Amino acid sequence: MSSPGTVEGDERIRLFLALELPSDVTLELVRWGNEHLSGGRPVTSFHITLAFLGGQPRSVLTEIVDVLHRETAASEQFVLEPARYRETRSVGMLVLADPSGRATALADRVQSGLARLGAYERERRPWLPHVTVLRFRERPRLDPPLPELRSFVPSGAAALLSRLHPSGARYEVLESFALDQEERMRP
């Protein structure tokens, strides 16, 4: 577990929980995006959102992080793999396949735990594992090839602070937890 970020007082913080990507996956997504994505602002800080909590009082952060820690500790290892590129009205995303269903089960447990705390309202649509790779005002209607990625194991799970900025949101890791079984066993 690591906790490099800090938040003072009991102000409201813009918070989300996410799976972190291994560095080789991040490097490939940057390379792929530079080569195949246009018509918007490329994203360079990649993650797979488990739950976006929006503005939360600082005082509930410990309970929120406890849910993430408990559920990641109980999670069996899983792999994700690129499935397709998809555009919504404002973002381009790399949709990921979850062959074992374990990532989806983790997201479900995290979201349920957060809902029990009163910190999260479940969305009607099912959770979709994806990485946002492009933000835009008008859909560029791209059809890029998939990045040259094989199946991968997320490197961890984190609670992140999202600070809005004119050039896009900036993220700060508040707490992170290893997903790798060997990493969990290290002192």
Side-chain angles (χ1 to χ4, degrees):
M1 177 178 84
S2 65
S3 52
T6 59
V7 187
E8 304 282 329
D10 198 29
E11 77 271 18
R12 292 187 75 77
I13 55 176
R14 194 167 185 259
L15 186 65
F16 67 98
L17 306 180
L19 297 172
E20 299 173 301
L21 303 180
S23 58
D24 61 324
V25 171
T26 296
L27 290 172
E28 171 56 17
L29 289 176
V30 168
R31 184 209 63 77
W32 173 76
N34 288 338
E35 188 173 328
H36 298 287
L37 302 180
S38 61
R41 183 173 40 88
V43 173
T44 57
S45 181
F46 302 108
H47 58 269
I48 303 162
T49 301
L50 293 168
F52 180 75
L53 300 161
Q56 296 290 321
R58 161 72 175 91
S59 59
V60 299
L61 179 60
T62 299
E63 293 172 90
I64 289 169
V65 169
D66 286 348
V67 168
L68 180 64
H69 184 242
R70 181 178 58 250
E71 297 307 338
T72 55
S75 182
E76 292 183 60
Q77 188 176 43
F78 55 85
V79 297
L80 299 169
E81 54 195 42
R84 62 189 164 88
Y85 173 81
R86 175 177 183 240
E87 291 179 356
T88 67
R89 62 190 151 125
S90 60
V91 301
M93 62 178 69
L94 179 63
V95 176
L96 303 169
D98 175 20
S100 70
R102 291 180 185 144
T104 302
L106 171 61
D108 184 60
R109 291 192 315 273
V110 166
Q111 292 172 8
S112 293
L114 295 169
R116 283 191 297 276
L117 286 177
Y120 183 75
E121 187 174 325
R122 300 287 303 248
E123 294 185 22
R124 287 188 177 96
R125 63 180 184 236
W127 180 73
L128 179 68
H130 70 276
V131 178
T132 299
V133 294
L134 187 67
R135 296 191 182 282
F136 44 76
R137 292 188 193 279
E138 282 188 45
R139 288 177 70 175
R141 304 202 183 278
L142 301 175
D143 187 21
L146 290 178
E148 295 176 17
L149 290 174
R150 287 181 263 162
S151 299
F152 65 91
V153 176
S155 56
L160 294 105
L161 177 66
S162 175
R163 297 185 196 270
L164 297 178
H165 190 268
S167 63
R170 294 182 179 169
Y171 308 128
E172 179 183 348
V173 174
L174 298 174
E175 297 274 349
S176 65
F177 306 97
L179 287 177
D180 183 317
Q181 294 295 329
E182 290 177 20
E183 190 69 28
R184 286 186 204 162
M185 298 176 143
R186 290 186 190 150

